[in-house]
Amino acid sequence: MIGAIADDFTGATDVAIAFRHAGLRTAIVFDTTQLTELPETDAAVVALKTRTTPADLAVAQSLTAVAWLRARGATQIFFKYCSTFDSSPQGNIGPVADALLNALDAEHAVFVPASPLHLRTQYLGHLFVGDVLLSESTMRDHPLTPMTDSYLPRVLSRQTAHRVGLVSHRDVRQGAGRVANLLRASQNFDVPYSLVDAIDERDLAAIGAACLDDPLVTGAAGLAGGLGIAHARRLGRSVTTAASSRAADGSGPGAVLAGSCSARTLEQIDEMHRRHHPALRLDAVTAPDPDALTKQALDWYDRQLPASAPLIYTSLPPAKLRSAQAAIGAEHGATILDAAMGKVASGLVARGVRRLVIAGGETSGAVVRALGIAEGVIGGQAAPGVAWIVVDQTSPPLALLLKSGNFGDRSLLADAAVGAR
């Protein structure tokens, strides 16, 4: 079994989709403390909220998750981070990888953030978002993990004492055997970490095959797909057919909670305004109290028509976000808003909302934990890397859509909230 740990909840959904589409039976777990056993599965994904936590806490939670997975049969660990490789200069990608390498007694690990499906590619060690370098993309303005350096060997080297190598695209195109040989050579020269170029699915399939038996593999959902295909072939499985790009699960009233400040989420919020969905923005500067914000949001929701699929959001464009952070502090403001969004989600579900659309990894984690959800079943996709999760803990079931900030087209939030097909 592949045991995956993801550093945020939207990333966990993304990697679970990749394994599922590769033909692997896949479970997604949000709270290991509530589960003692897993169903029979080929891959189990544990969702953590460690991307922006202090490094020591991220390491501790990751090691706990890995121990839980190994106790339930995981023979390979996949550490999933964002395809934009975003983290603070001190981590947490490097520190978590160091801890996992030691815990698994592994001698090397690949790092492959490329995810061509999401327009993330790596060439000669430089990460691109679409047609521009990472450092020239909107990620340079990320409120918590701004990325101003596109050369990933340098980025990772700042986070680890281990030597970091690079397998170039020219070598990847020579196939899995060439990649495997280069990884062994790097290991022999005491270079345990290797960033590997990839620009399309063929590259990811070659890298996945080269890493098929590695104790530790790290990357984004793109590599999960390549690795999953290699495992599925070994098991004699066929790649599954992706669900309709606009398939929705669940029925009943829908609502949207948006916390991401990414450019794409801001566009999606604008589209909801354009379609005249009722909308309320929560402001931690004027009301720095989660309970007050929660009351404001739920009192407002009670005055809306449930069928209108209302939007409650905290997202701000870069200039206004910087002003808010200067006024209240970035970390303090995020803590207030995450707590409020979790409480708001609980209130919405208590009021009968059964289709809950969440934008942003931190917000998704806050909501899932506030709702006490332990696990879910991956349903149809609403966009590449964004699938509905059906939760049977409630009656009737609750359908969650956990969307990474930069994922989906402009209409995703509005369409998903009303169950568009």
Side-chain angles (χ1 to χ4, degrees), residues 22 114 155 295 328 332 335:
V155 172
K295 184 177 187 305
I328 196 173
H332 183 52
T335 300

Side-chain angles (χ1 to χ4, degrees), residues 26 55 143 182 338 398:
T26 305
L182 288 173
D338 281 351
L398 176 67

